[in-house]
Each structure stands twice: as C-alpha cells, then as structure tokens.
Amino acid sequence: MLTAGIVVLSVAVVARIGRFGFNPTDQGFVLAQVWRVLHGEIPQVDFLGPRPFGSAYLHLVDHLVPAPLMIGSSFVTMVQLTVATFALAAFLTGTSPLDWGPLRLGLVFAATLISLNMYPLMAWHTVDGVFLVALGWWLLDSGLRSDARWRRWLGLFCLGFAVIVKQSFLFAAPIGVLILLFHPAAPPKKGSRLPGDLLVLGAAPLLYFGMVTVAGGLESAIAQLTGGAQTWGEGLSRFWTADFAGRADPRTYVFPVLLGVLVLAVTWAARERLGEPGRWLRTVTGLCVVAVVVFVVADGGFEHAGSWPITLLWLFLAAALLDAVVRRRLPWRYLAIAALGWMASLSWGYPLPGLLTGIFALGVLEAVAPPRPPRLAGGVLGAIAFVLAGLMLMSAHDKAPYADRPQGELTKDLGSVAPSLRGVRTTPNVYRYVSQIRGCLDRYPASRVAVLPDNPFVAPVFGVRDPFPLDWPIPLELTGDSPERMVEAAERLAAEGNYLVLFQTVRAASLAAGAPVPEAVAPDAPTIAMSGIEERIKGKLTGARVACGGFAGFWAPPR
C-alpha cells in the first residue's frame, strides 16, 4: 500500500507539474552522461567533469520506465525524493513507515511536496546524493536495530555510492562509520565484522576508480575532481550577517523557536513538579512553535532560491537541542540530517538545503511533540496538511516553472520534435529553439553532433553522439585537462569529417525570460561564448560554414 502511494504521488506530480517547462541545459545534463555510458564510454576518461559520474549509472533506470525519456526521468526523480523523505523521517524517529499512523503518513507526504518546492523534476546529482544518503542511513540504522546484515550492508553500499555522485556527499561515509561504531544497538564485539562492513562501504568507489585506473585515466580524474572552485556552504553562516533590507528578516523566526525550545525543555525537566499546569504550558508552547514553522513554509512560498530553506535548517537545529533534553542523549539523528542539509548546499548553482526543507519542518514538529489527536482526527489533520502543501506546490509551479515561463504560456508539446520529449510542454520560443536543432540535424546529417556551449540534451534526446568529452563546457566545468581535450577533439573532427558542430546565437538560459529566437542567421553570425574554448574549437574546424535557424556552425559530411 505504501509503495502504491509513492508511485501514485509521483505519477500525479509529474502529470500536474513535472512535465511543464523545459530547460535545454539542466534537463539533459545527467541524461547525456547516461547516454555516453550506454554507448560504452568510460567516465573521467572518455568524458570529463569536475565531479564523479555515479549518477550516469544510477539513472540507467530512467530508460526502463515505460514512458518517454524525459517524462520517465522526471518520474524516477520524484520517486527518489519521496523515498528519501520517507527514509529520513524513519531514520529521525527510529520507527518503521509500516507502523506509522495516518497523521504521520500525511505529514511525511506533505513533507515530500515541501522538499520538492520549486526544484525541477529532472535527473540531477544532488537529488541522487540526498536519496542515497537518506536510504543508506535509514537502512544502516534499521539494520543495526534489527540485526539484519543485508540491511546494514545495503545501507553501507548506498553511502559509498553517494560518494561517487558528488564529492560533497563524501562526508556521509564517515558519519556512517560513526553510526556503525557507536549506535546504541551495535553489539559489544563489533570489531570482527568491521572489515567486512568497511569493504561494503567502499565497494562503489573502489569499483568506479578501479575502472578509471585500468582505463589509464586516474591522473586525469584526480585533476578533474580537485580542480574545481571550492565551496563550503558559506550561505548557511552568511545567513546571520546578510542584509535583508526591504524584506522581512527571516532570522527573527529563529528566536521565538529557540525561546519555545527553552520553555519546553525546562517544563519537561520539571514535569513532575509542575503537573497539569506544566502540561498545558508545554502544549501551548508546542503549538506556537508549530505555528512558526508553518508560517515560515507558507511565507517562503516554495521559492526556489529564497532564504526559507536556511531558516528551516536553523529551526531544525534548535529542535535538536530539545531532542537532547527530552531523550537525554546526543541528538545524533538530528545532527546527521543537518549535516546532510549542509552537504546538499555545497553547490555552485544552488547553495541551499532546499531538498530537505520538508524533513526540517517535520523534524521540528516531532521534537516539540504537541498532543497527538485521536486516529481519525489525526488522519484528517494529515490529509489537510498534504492538500495544503499540494495547493502551494501547484500555485508556485504554475506561476514560474523552473527555468521557463508561467504555465499559461506553455502551449507547445515538444513531442512533435522528438518522441523522447513527448508530453513536455513549453513556450513557442523554446519550441522553436529545439525544433531548429531538429531541422539542422535533418538538413546536415552527420553521426557526430554537438550544439555548444550549453545544450547537453541534444545527444540523449535526438540519439546522436557528442564528439566532445564535455557535455557542458562552461568555465566552472572546465577543470583539469578538459580544455585541451576539447580542442584535441575538434582537431580529430577536422581530420575525420562526418560532423555537425553548431553554436548558439541565443543563450539557452535567457529563453526563460522570453528572449526571441531568430528565424535565420548568417553562417558567420556572432555566437555565444561562455569561455574561450568556443573560439579555439572554431579555429580547428575545417568544414563548411552553415547556418539554420538561430544556430551557426560547421558541417563536414561523411567521407
């Protein structure tokens, strides 16, 4: 029944929200990596990037969903996010979802929608990392409590896998080791099984980097993975020094929750002396804290890049203090999830813990623990919370789908351009942009095709091979020997022929702002350059100069 609920919710969210809007860069980025793996390319050797490519293997499952590729990929992502929220709720409470009543079930489903907020339903390495860590910690915890070796090992494998989807999730592995060593349910003599547990934890990274080493790419891989700009989640601490001039200061919401936590902690510690008045004080205080949390979520409006995710993280940490007082122990479950929020915020483009907002809100409610209503009333409250979260989600996405125009302007179905995009709706401008690429492929046939600089969706959607080793050659992604390898690929194309390399005259990112797409440009029209690599590639290509729609480039037919 629970599995059916997760599937139904995921289908409904994709149908109502996930299929509206299309971003030519983000929505094909991970799928392009999957496409390369399907064609035998080796990560960090045949295709390059500043992070490991574990997601390329995880999202092979997207091709097994009986739906068009883009829709099927959105469904997989929603399932991941839902399972992650359930796993984190089970880990936080130390309970099984099978034992939850209707109130907690309704709140967890609502938390899933809050965690989605305005995040796009697309295959992405950060979602994969959160999913794997959440599943890993939950399975490890439940495996230790039930003494089930298969759960413990599967959880450890998931934690190791998280390391190879993005470096920021590396920290989940040592936290897993600490859980192994100090979990309350761990057996006294655990040293004998520790080597086997550590081997399972390291299995995925060992297999990944072993493959890269055998292929002769370890040195290059190290340069790629260590050469990116560093980020340490500075936004989480900068929250306390930021200038919120002209807006409500979100920091003011943290202090009443801290005060409420203090009152709850004191009244709980003195509950026997305070008696009935103390119970009423705890109830009223708990409800006030709940009201603050609900207000923060509602006031945030599910905004993609607002401050409300950070506010909820700090409220969650405040709740950890209460958990420590009530349970008389280190609030290690709360601290682990807060650490996961920090890991998720280690990002160049989205330095926020937005994917965990739902569990942050739920964690505060679990800590303050207002009186539980009867089962029927609890079910009604859970259903109300879920419906309200759903209405907020739909309203937010209707106004501004990720990287596209409001839903009322999404009048074109991209399925007429490519079967793998069937069901995805976008604006006439984006439709023209994508259909012009389709027209270019028909007009200038070649087996190797690239549309630079930021259209990684082209290869998996149109079924062509990208001859360059980088799917998204923007400055931040060009680490290690990537620039030289891009130029070398252009030299090989010039020598071998059978290629079509196009360059944009319109930024893909500007399409969301309604930027017009020209009907035609000249073959020598100025094109978008996001780094110096575009001009270097142009200097190496010797094919005929061509143009079609808003794209200009070089074409050399098969020889």
Side-chain angles (χ1 to χ4, degrees):
M1 183 65 74
L2 190 58
T3 301
I6 291 173
V7 171
V8 169
L9 175 66
S10 300
V11 169
V13 171
V14 171
R16 179 59 181 82
I17 290 168
R19 67 190 186 92
F20 290 96
F22 181 71
N23 180 273
T25 298
D26 292 352
Q27 284 180 258
F29 185 48
V30 171
L31 293 178
Q33 300 161 14
V34 176
W35 187 246
R36 290 180 182 272
V37 167
L38 283 171
H39 286 83
E41 293 190 35
I42 299 176
Q44 256 67 64
V45 177
D46 298 317
F47 59 105
L48 319 176
R51 63 191 68 80
F53 292 102
S55 291
Y57 295 93
L58 186 63
H59 283 278
L60 288 169
V61 71
D62 294 16
H63 287 267
L64 302 178
V65 178
L69 177 61
M70 201 61 67
I71 295 293
S73 183
S74 294
F75 169 77
V76 170
T77 301
M78 188 61 203
V79 169
Q80 285 181 286
L81 189 59
T82 307
V83 170
T85 306
F86 269 78
L88 288 174
F91 173 69
L92 182 69
T93 59
T95 60
S96 167
L98 299 177
D99 298 330
W100 294 347
L103 175 58
R104 183 176 278 165
L105 276 173
L107 290 177
V108 174
F109 273 116
T112 298
L113 300 182
I114 295 170
S115 292
L116 173 59
N117 52 79
M118 289 298 292
Y119 205 89
L121 271 178
M122 64 184 185
W124 201 251
H125 37 261
T126 307
V127 178
D128 298 337
V130 169
F131 166 72
L132 288 166
V133 173
L135 200 58
W137 282 346
W138 172 49
L139 288 170
L140 177 58
D141 174 50
S142 63
L144 288 168
R145 286 188 286 109
S146 62
D147 197 25
R149 183 170 60 182
W150 72 268
R151 287 191 191 179
R152 187 176 80 250
W153 280 4
L154 182 57
L156 290 169
F157 180 80
C158 287
L159 293 177
F161 203 133
V163 173
I164 61 169
V165 301
K166 193 180 179 186
Q167 297 97 314
S168 60
F169 296 103
L170 170 68
F171 304 97
I175 293 175
V177 174
L178 291 175
I179 294 173
L180 267 178
L181 295 175
F182 301 107
H183 194 284
K189 297 180 180 180
K190 44 188 172 283
S192 60
R193 72 183 192 186
L194 187 60
D197 289 344
L198 294 179
L199 183 61
V200 174
L201 176 64
L206 287 172
L207 287 171
Y208 182 87
F209 288 103
M211 172 184 63
V212 171
T213 302
V214 169
L218 183 60
E219 183 178 353
S220 175
I222 293 173
Q224 294 166 47
L225 299 177
T226 60
Q230 300 299 310
T231 177
W232 293 100
E234 299 88 345
L236 303 186
S237 59
R238 199 178 296 134
F239 171 81
W240 294 103
T241 59
D243 182 8
F244 294 99
R247 293 175 291 161
D249 191 335
R251 292 167 294 205
T252 58
Y253 306 134
V254 179
F255 298 110
V257 170
L258 280 173
L259 178 60
V261 164
L262 178 62
V263 172
L264 287 167
V266 171
T267 55
W268 175 264
R271 61 189 180 280
E272 293 182 0
R273 281 178 293 171
L274 294 175
E276 188 66 14
R279 187 179 71 83
W280 278 105
L281 181 56
R282 291 197 304 274
T283 298
V284 172
T285 305
L287 291 174
C288 289
V289 171
V290 170
V292 173
V293 172
V294 172
F295 177 79
V296 169
V297 173
D299 187 57
F302 284 22
E303 185 181 358
H304 181 65
S307 60
W308 68 286
I310 301 178
T311 305
L312 285 173
L313 172 55
W314 286 108
L315 297 184
F316 183 79
L317 283 170
L321 299 176
L322 181 59
D323 181 74
V325 171
V326 172
R327 299 180 184 273
R328 295 184 179 182
R329 68 179 188 189
L330 178 72
W332 60 276
R333 298 176 190 271
Y334 276 82
L335 295 178
I337 293 175
L340 179 57
W342 171 70
M343 294 178 220
S345 70
L346 299 179
S347 168
W348 293 328
Y350 188 63
L352 295 168
L355 288 167
L356 289 104
T357 46
I359 200 65
F360 291 158
L362 183 63
V364 178
L365 305 190
E366 290 284 350
V368 300
R372 301 282 178 176
R375 186 176 180 86
L376 179 60
V380 171
L381 287 175
I384 290 173
F386 175 70
V387 169
L388 290 177
L391 291 174
M392 287 188 65
L393 184 73
M394 288 187 288
S395 174
H397 279 264
D398 288 354
K399 292 175 183 175
Y402 177 77
D404 214 331
R405 304 295 297 163
Q407 191 173 124
E409 299 178 33
L410 308 180
T411 58
K412 303 290 286 186
D413 191 317
L414 286 169
S416 60
V417 180
S420 56
L421 293 174
R422 191 169 68 251
V424 178
R425 296 181 67 86
T426 188
T427 62
N429 260 12
V430 175
Y431 179 87
R432 184 180 301 115
Y433 181 91
V434 178
S435 62
Q436 284 180 351
I437 295 176
R438 170 80 273 173
C440 291
L441 299 180
D442 294 339
R443 186 174 176 183
Y444 303 108
S447 63
R448 292 175 290 182
V449 177
V451 185
L452 301 175
D454 58 347
N455 296 275
F457 81 97
V458 170
V461 163
F462 295 119
V464 296
R465 298 295 303 277
D466 188 337
F468 294 100
L470 211 65
D471 294 302
W472 195 14
I474 62 174
L476 284 171
E477 299 284 320
L478 289 164
T479 60
D481 57 354
S482 299
E484 291 71 26
R485 296 276 296 276
M486 292 287 288
V487 175
E488 290 171 5
E491 291 175 344
R492 286 195 299 273
L493 289 177
E496 298 170 3
N498 192 17
Y499 66 85
L500 174 64
V501 179
L502 299 174
F503 298 86
Q504 306 160 227
T505 62
V506 176
R507 289 184 182 272
S510 68
L511 294 172
V517 178
E519 292 292 340
V521 297
D524 59 350
T527 57
I528 300 299
M530 301 179 74
S531 67
I533 203 70
E534 295 88 357
E535 292 304 316
R536 293 178 66 186
I537 289 173
K538 285 182 179 181
K540 298 296 182 180
L541 298 176
T542 57
R545 280 188 169 270
V546 298
C548 48
F551 300 87
F554 299 82
W555 175 61
R559 294 173 181 171

